[in-house]
Amino acid sequence: AYGIEDCGKPKVKPDRIVLFCADAGAYINGFDWNDWGGKKSHGTGTIHVNDCDPICLGGTYHDYPVEVTLKKLKRTSCGGKRVPLYRKIDIDFPQGKPGSVGNLPGRLYCY
């Protein structure tokens, strides 16, 4: 089973998952995968979210611990390969979701 690293590279146990591919305004790294390769994969990591203040180019990244579940494993094309790929992500904030974190995507895309 593969995850999507940096929006275009299929990788077993990815080190970094970018949630907003256009500007990398939110990404997760520092993963500790508790399990991998089943119908769902679970892990913990740190999300980095750009506050885009005053604009995204000059914004500041804020870091929060997260729990991640990857799911919807399906054979899909990604990075020039056809692989079994997790296509959905659930992100939980164990200390509560900060107000500065807006809506995060639930679907992962490979470009």
Side-chain angles (χ1 to χ4, degrees), residues 39-40 70-74 85-88:
K39 193 172 183 177
K40 296 179 181 180
L70 298 180
K71 57 189 183 179
K72 298 287 183 184
L73 189 61
K74 182 178 179 183
L85 189 72
Y86 292 109
R87 298 172 300 124
K88 296 262 184 174

Side-chain angles (χ1 to χ4, degrees), residues 4-86:
I4 301 170
E5 184 166 274
D6 294 338
C7 300
K9 301 176 205 162
K11 184 173 181 185
V12 175
K13 296 183 180 180
D15 299 317
R16 180 169 105 147
I17 296 175
V18 176
L19 301 172
F20 298 116
C21 294
D23 65 0
Y27 65 92
I28 305 169
N29 69 357
F31 285 106
D32 180 14
W33 294 106
N34 301 325
D35 56 33
W36 186 267
K39 193 172 183 177
K40 296 179 181 180
S41 289
H42 304 89
T44 58
T46 302
I47 191 168
H48 309 273
V49 182
N50 188 344
D51 62 14
C52 293
D53 186 23
I55 60 172
C56 292
L57 184 59
T60 302
Y61 280 87
H62 301 274
D63 306 338
Y64 308 100
V66 290
E67 296 170 354
V68 173
T69 300
L70 298 180
K71 57 189 183 179
K72 298 287 183 184
L73 189 61
K74 182 178 179 183
R75 188 163 286 282
T76 307
S77 293
C78 180
K81 298 179 183 179
R82 190 155 176 82
V83 296
L85 189 72
Y86 292 109

